Amino acid sequence: MSGGLHEQYRQLIWKERVEGLSAAERELLDRHLEGCEECGFELAATGRLLGELRAIPVEVPPGLAARAEARVYLRESERKRREGAGWALWLAFAFSWVLGVASSPWIWKGFEWLGHWAGAPVLLVKMSFALWWAVPAMLTAAVLLFERNNQGEALWRDFSNR
């Protein structure tokens, strides 16, 4: 049997110990272990190694679990808060577009009148109208970038405080 195939079965042995195997993988491994002493030895050695690793005493600093639980709780509450803010932002974005589409004929007439009254070139009036449409999108993008930057800084502060 080739070394690459044995390596695949070794990976299955480790996967069984760490993650667990699906029924099909379990059946495949069992069939292979019936006829392969080398992989059977690997399975036994893996079991002994993991047993020895479990026997090593590990001291955990006092309060570590409480601190970890508090951080998880804070992260989850922060995620929920941001998720709610995201919906509000999307709602504001949709409302601005609906309002923009509904009011565009009147806004265009206003820009046209203002351009005529000021003697502005038609191109300037059209560019101003386009900018009027772009302002809500630019403000939304600015808010999203600001929020993302604050999230990145908060994550960096948490990471660097460890």
Side-chain angles (χ1 to χ4, degrees):
M1 185 176 295
S2 69
L5 194 54
H6 277 292
E7 186 59 35
Q8 289 175 352
Y9 286 111
R10 284 188 188 104
Q11 293 297 322
L12 281 178
I13 290 169
W14 280 100
K15 183 179 177 185
E16 175 192 31
R17 297 298 181 145
V18 176
E19 304 170 23
L21 296 177
S22 68
E25 289 173 326
R26 178 76 244 167
E27 184 180 331
L28 182 68
L29 182 61
D30 286 342
R31 269 192 276 129
H32 177 74
L33 288 173
E34 287 173 4
C36 181
E37 286 184 29
E38 183 180 340
C39 289
F41 176 75
E42 181 78 22
L43 178 66
T46 301
R48 283 192 306 273
L49 175 66
L50 289 174
E52 290 173 14
L53 285 174
R54 285 188 190 109
I56 297 173
V58 177
E59 288 191 36
V60 178
L64 178 65
R67 288 193 311 258
E69 185 178 351
R71 280 188 184 247
V72 167
Y73 175 78
L74 286 173
R75 289 280 186 204
E76 181 62 19
S77 62
E78 186 177 320
R79 185 191 63 80
K80 285 181 180 178
R81 182 187 59 81
R82 284 199 178 113
E83 189 176 274
W87 280 105
L89 189 60
W90 277 108
L91 187 62
F93 177 73
F95 181 71
S96 73
W97 273 96
V98 168
L99 192 61
V101 168
S103 65
S104 64
W106 295 289
I107 299 295
W108 172 247
K109 290 290 184 188
F111 272 99
E112 190 177 44
W113 175 81
L114 188 60
H116 181 69
W117 178 78
V122 175
L123 181 60
L124 180 63
V125 172
K126 289 180 180 180
M127 287 176 50
S128 300
F129 181 72
L131 185 61
W132 174 266
W133 274 85
V135 166
M138 290 188 306
L139 289 175
T140 302
V143 167
L144 289 172
L145 288 173
F146 180 74
E147 181 72 20
R148 179 171 288 170
N149 187 33
N150 283 346
Q151 284 177 358
E153 288 177 3
L155 287 174
W156 176 251
R157 277 194 306 271
D158 285 350
F159 181 74
S160 61
N161 286 339
R162 292 180 186 184

